[in-house]
Amino acid sequence: MLILFRLVSVRFLSVAALALLSVLGSFDTAQGQTLTLSTNTLSFTAAQGNNPSPPFQTVSVGSTGAAINYKISSDQTWLLASACQFCGDGGTSGPNEPLTIQVTSSSLNAGNYTGHITLTPTNGSPTATITVTLTVTGNGPATSTLVASLSQLNFSFQVAQAGPASQGVQITATGINIPISSVTTNTAPTNNCPSGWLQASSSSGSTPATITVSVVTSGLTPGTCTGAVSVNSTSPGNGSTSVQIGVTLYVSTSPLLNVAIPAGITSVTLQKGANPVQFAVPLTSSDPSVPLNFTANTAPGSDNAWLAVSPVTGSTPASLNVQVTPNQTLAPGNYTGSITIASSALLNGQLTIPITFNLTSPSAVTVTPSGTQNFNQSQGGSPPAPITLTLTSTSSATFTTSVTQQSGGLWLQATPSSGSVTQSTPGTVTLTVLPNTLGQGTYSSLVTISFQSSGISPITIPVSLSVGPPVSTLVPSPSSLTFTYLTSGSAPAAQNVSITNLAGSAIAYTVGSISQSWLSVTPSSGTTPGSISVSVTPQSLAPGSYTGSFTLSSPSAPSVVFNVTLNVTQSAVPQVFIIGNAASGVGGQLAPGEIITIKGSQLGPATPQSFTLDSLKQPTLGGVGVTFSGIPGTLLYVSSSQINVTVPYEVAGTASTNIVVTYNGVSSAVFTQQVASAALGLFTNNSTGTGQASILNQNYTYNTATTPAAQGSYISLYATGGGQTIPASTTGEVSPNSLLPLVLSPYVTATIGGKNAPVVFSGAAPGYVTGVVQFNIQVPTGVSGTALPIIVTINGANAVQSQSGATVSVQ
C-alpha cells in the first residue's frame, strides 16, 4: 500500500502547467530536456518568378531525453515549416522526427533573403532556431545602373577623442529607380584596424537613397585603414548592378583635420550663363580645444577660372565656400579641376577633392521660374507648398528628372521622373519638400532635367530649404485612430491620444465639433503636454465603415481636425467540424467530465487563450462559451480553430446533450451527441492518441524507450472520459490530493502486450482540473518491448475500451 500511496499522490505537472494539456490534448513528459536538430542552417536557390518553388528540405527534430512538444513559428511570409500534414503549428520531437521546411519564391524579387524557423518547447526549455537563406537569381544584365555621388570617403580619428561624424553618399540610378538589395562593407583586418571598423546603411530600399557610412573606433590604433562599401541592386527586368565607395581612415594620437565633403561637389553640370552653384565644405578638429591651421587652393590652369574657393587660409572650425561659375568666356564642354586642402593634420599633409564641370550650351528649353528655387519651413512644421516649374520648348523633347541631395539628406522630391514637352504643350516639374525632422538651418539640393534629344543640354536647378524656429502647433499622437467592433461583442477599449505643442511651450486647447453621436472624447479641455481619451459606442450600428472627427482648438495655434474610423463587422458564425476526445481524438459519445476537443473555424479569438485558476468557474474564455443543453462547460483553451472544454458532470443520466459554441454573442448550429457513463481516451506524448502513452514509472521517471518500466512494477497512466467519481467531482474544480475513485472503478481492467495488468487505482488525477483521470496499473511479468500495446477497458452495462495504438515500454 505504500507504493500505491506514492503513485497516487504524485503529480506529473503543476496546476499551472496543465494549461499545456488543454492546448495539446496531451501533457509534456519532457521537463528538463532540450530539443536537438540534425542541422540549424538550410539554403535554397530559385530563379525569380519560378513556379513551382524549390523542393522542400527536412530537419530531424529530437531531444536530449523524452519527447518534447513544441510550437512552430516563422518570421518570414515566404518561409513555411510543418511537422506533419495535420499538425498545424505544433509538433513533437523524435527520435528523428522530420520537420518539413519549404519556401515560396514566386512573389520575391531577385536577391538574398534570410528567415528563421523557431521551435518553442511547451515545457519551458530553450527554443531551437533554424536559419534559412534563400537566393533568388535575377534574369539579365542591368539596364539602369547605380551611381554614387562620391567614389571616395576619408575619415580622421584621434585616439581618445570622439569618433568622426558619419558621412553620407547619394545613390541614384541612370534610368528608372531600382531597389537597393544590400549594402555591404569590405575591410582587411590589420594590426591597427580590427574587423568591423567600417559600417554602412541605406536610408531607403530603392534609389534615390542616402548611404550613411560610419566608423567604429573601438580597438583602433595609429595607422591607416582602408576599406570599401558596396551598394548592390538585383531586381526582375533590370538584373544586377553595384557601385563601390572607397573608404580611408587615418588614425593618429595627435589632432586631425576632419573634412566633410558634400554630395554633388565632384560632378557639376550647368548651362552657360546660369547662376553659380556653391558648396559648403565644413572643416573641424578632432580635438575641439586644439584649432588646426589649413590652406586651400584650386588646381592651377587657365581653364580653372570657373572654380573658386574661399577662404584660402584659416583655422578650425571653419567652412570652405566652393563656387562653380559657368563663365561666359568658357566654351561649352567638360572641364576638370580640384580643390586641395593642405594641413599638417591631414594624412600625407593634404587632401584633394576632384571636380568635374560639364558646361552646356543654352538649352532650347526654358524653365519658368528660373534660377534658384527657395523653400521656407518652420522646424517640425508642415512642409511648404510645392513649386511647379513650367518647361517651354521650340521643339519636342522627352525628359527625365533627378535630385542630388547636397545637405540634409533626402528632403526634396522632383516629379514626374519622366515627361515630355512640345511647342504647343509645355511640360511641368513639381518640386516637393518631403516631411522631415530637419533642425534650423539652410539645406541645398540640385535638380537636373535631362533631355533625350542630343541637341538639348541638361538643365540644373539649385534648390534651397531654410528651416526656421518652430511655431506653436498642436500635435496629436497618433494623428488618427481606428476602432474595430464585432457585432454582439463588447465595445472596443478607449484609446489615448497625447497632445503636445511643437514649439515646446504650454498652451491651452479645447475639444469640440464632435461629428458623430457614437464618438466621445474626454476631457473636453487641457494644457499641453496633455492627453485625451477617445471612445466609441457602436452597439447600435449596422455593419459597415464609419468616419467621425473632432477638432482640437487653441487661441495660440491653428485648429487641428482629428479623424476617427470605426469598422463594424458582422461576427462570423462559429463553424464546428469535429468533436472528439482530447486524448484519443475519437468521437461519438461523451462522458461526464470528459475533456473534449472541438475543431472548426471562427470558433474564437485569433490569439489563443488558455485557462487560469480564476477562469475555471467562468462561463466564457476569450469571448467563447460552450454549453451542453444549456449548461456551461469548463473552457481550457480557445482559439479560432480549436476549443478544449470539459463536459459538465451535470449531463450524467441523460441520453444525449446539445452542444452550442458561442463567440462574441454569435452561436453555432446545435450539435447533438450521445452521452455515456464513460468515453475513455488515453493521453499520448505526441498528442495524436497513438504511440507512447503518457506514463510515469514507479521510480518517478517518464516511461520511454530509454526509461522502460520494470516487469511487476507499477505505472501511472493518464486519461480522460472515465466518468464521475466518488465523492462526485464538480465541474470547473481542481481535483484534491485525497482519493476520488471512479464510480466505475470496480469494472476497470487493463492489458499490456495482451496480458492482464492489474488496475490498483482508477480515479481523479490529484492536482489536475476535474476530468483528468489517473490509472495505477501493475505491469505483468513475461512481457517486454519498447512499444507494447496498452488497453484500458471499463466493463459494465456497456463496455468501453480505450483507443488502440497507445503503447508502453517495458524492459
Side-chain angles (χ1 to χ4, degrees), residues 670-739:
V670 176
F671 290 82
T672 301
Q673 294 281 291
Q674 299 301 309
V675 176
S677 57
L680 192 59
L682 305 182
F683 288 112
T684 59
N685 288 348
N686 62 10
S687 309
T688 66
T690 61
Q692 173 66 53
S694 299
I695 294 173
L696 186 70
N697 295 325
Q698 183 175 328
N699 62 359
Y700 307 111
T701 61
Y702 299 112
N703 186 271
T704 67
T706 56
T707 54
Q711 297 181 34
S713 66
Y714 292 88
I715 60 173
S716 288
L717 173 68
Y718 281 69
T720 190
Q724 186 56 280
T725 61
I726 303 173
S729 294
T730 304
T731 303
E733 295 284 355
V734 176
S735 297
N737 285 332
S738 57
L739 303 184

Side-chain angles (χ1 to χ4, degrees), residues 534-586:
V534 181
S535 57
V536 295
T537 53
Q539 286 85 343
S540 62
L541 299 176
S545 184
Y546 299 83
T547 57
S549 65
F550 57 87
T551 302
L552 295 170
S553 303
S554 173
S556 305
S559 296
V560 176
V561 175
F562 190 95
N563 295 314
V564 178
T565 300
L566 170 60
N567 296 317
V568 179
T569 304
Q570 178 69 50
S571 295
V573 176
Q575 302 292 323
V576 175
F577 301 149
I578 299 173
I579 299 176
N581 185 287
S584 66
V586 176

